[in-house]
Amino acid sequence: MAKLQAGYLFPEIARRRAAHLQKYPDAKIISLGIGDTTEPIPNVITNAMAERAHALSTIDGYSGYGAEQGEKKLRAAIAATYYADLGIEDSDIFVSDGAKCDISRLQVLFGSNATIAVQDPSYPAYVDSSVIMGQTELYQQDVQKYGNIEYMRCNPENGFFPDLSTVPRTDIIFFCSPNNPTGAAASRDQLTKLVKFAKDNGSIIVYDSAYAMYISDDSPKSIFEIPGAKEVAIETASFSKYAGFTGVRLGWTVVPKELLFSDGHPVAKDFNRIVCTCFNGASNIAQAGGLACLSPEGLKAMRDVVGFYKENTEIIVDTFTSLGFNVYGAKNAPYVWVHFPGRNSWDVFAEILEKANVVTTPGSGFGPGGEGFVRVSAFGHRENIIEAARRLKQLYK
């Protein structure tokens, strides 16, 4: 624990936001920092949750502990909706209280002797959970990296996909596509290379697909679209950014039965044991919401919400582009990755907060590869996005 650098990124941003408000109590702050959804959950989904909640007050409708792996109906609906024709079965799916929680449960499965590789930049939970598990050496201030983690640099020069020929073998490869924070989605060709790389090295890929529904080109939405991926990959996903479930908490992890440790033991068997030890299953009310998400009406409602955030993304992209900035991501993700060449990310964060009352996320919070960038989230009410765009144009005109 003592190795961890400062606080987790997002609470640190919240702390700086609070300090700014203390200094300027009347500031009208717009938060485009932490990727938290803002739009109401569609009625078709909340109605199902309300119905399930009320049923708990009846003799017939009450239920206590459920299956740790999730309700059968929901596992079947996830398999049918997101993995049809990919050979993933209901029994491969573990329903959870969100992808972030599953990342830490997977780390418990891998243990403190595992070695990991991460995209640089990447979502901080992979690195921080690795440090907490005792997989790393000390933080090296000069390079801003932890010892014993392979940081796979992803930048505009390499199309945000690492040069795998320079990456040493690790036990685990954390890979997020569309990526948080860069918004880059890996192509079929790139993911085919990644799967081959993992196969050749005997590595397991933990594929974070939390933003797959934001993909609008032909990039794969699941690692299991790649032949052979079931033998090397685990996929984690979530309803958070599709249905506004950041507070409801519901996600899932796919551990295919074809995925085996080097001694032939099924990975899913051990993950199941960990889930049964660490978790009592996702909330039955949340799972009722998940099932409604995957009804035809629910899917349409989720697509509408995703579409709304994608329109916000376009407004942010147009704003920065018109000001002459190089902008990345956005097309397949709710994040805009803005380049401020030669600048310190935290300085840019402070400048935008101080002068425009807009909260962003400093790129260096996602790893040394994020230095000189700022992540701007498209999660916000439309009027706030438009007002933030106006303030940014005034600041950088």
Side-chain angles (χ1 to χ4, degrees), residues 3 30 44 80-81 111-112 123 144 173 178 238 240 247 260 367 381 396:
K3 283 180 197 169
I30 296 173
V44 58
T81 306
S112 56
Y123 180 52
Q144 298 195 305
I173 302 164
S238 161
S240 284
L260 309 173
H381 302 313
Y396 290 117

Side-chain angles (χ1 to χ4, degrees), residues 9-75:
L9 175 62
F10 299 108
E12 176 59 24
I13 287 169
R15 192 189 65 73
R16 295 190 188 212
R17 179 185 192 269
H20 180 76
L21 266 180
Q22 212 165 1
K23 198 168 155 190
Y24 306 104
D26 299 331
K28 299 268 187 295
I29 291 184
I30 296 173
S31 184
L32 305 180
I34 184 169
D36 192 6
T37 46
T38 56
E39 299 313 291
I41 296 172
N43 281 329
V44 58
I45 299 165
T46 50
N47 287 345
M49 290 196 282
E51 205 176 302
R52 184 69 171 266
H54 288 303
L56 293 172
S57 295
T58 67
I59 291 288
D60 292 339
Y62 177 76
S63 62
Y65 292 127
E68 291 91 346
Q69 306 80 4
E71 294 174 6
K72 271 198 168 70
K73 268 184 173 168
L74 179 55
R75 294 168 84 190

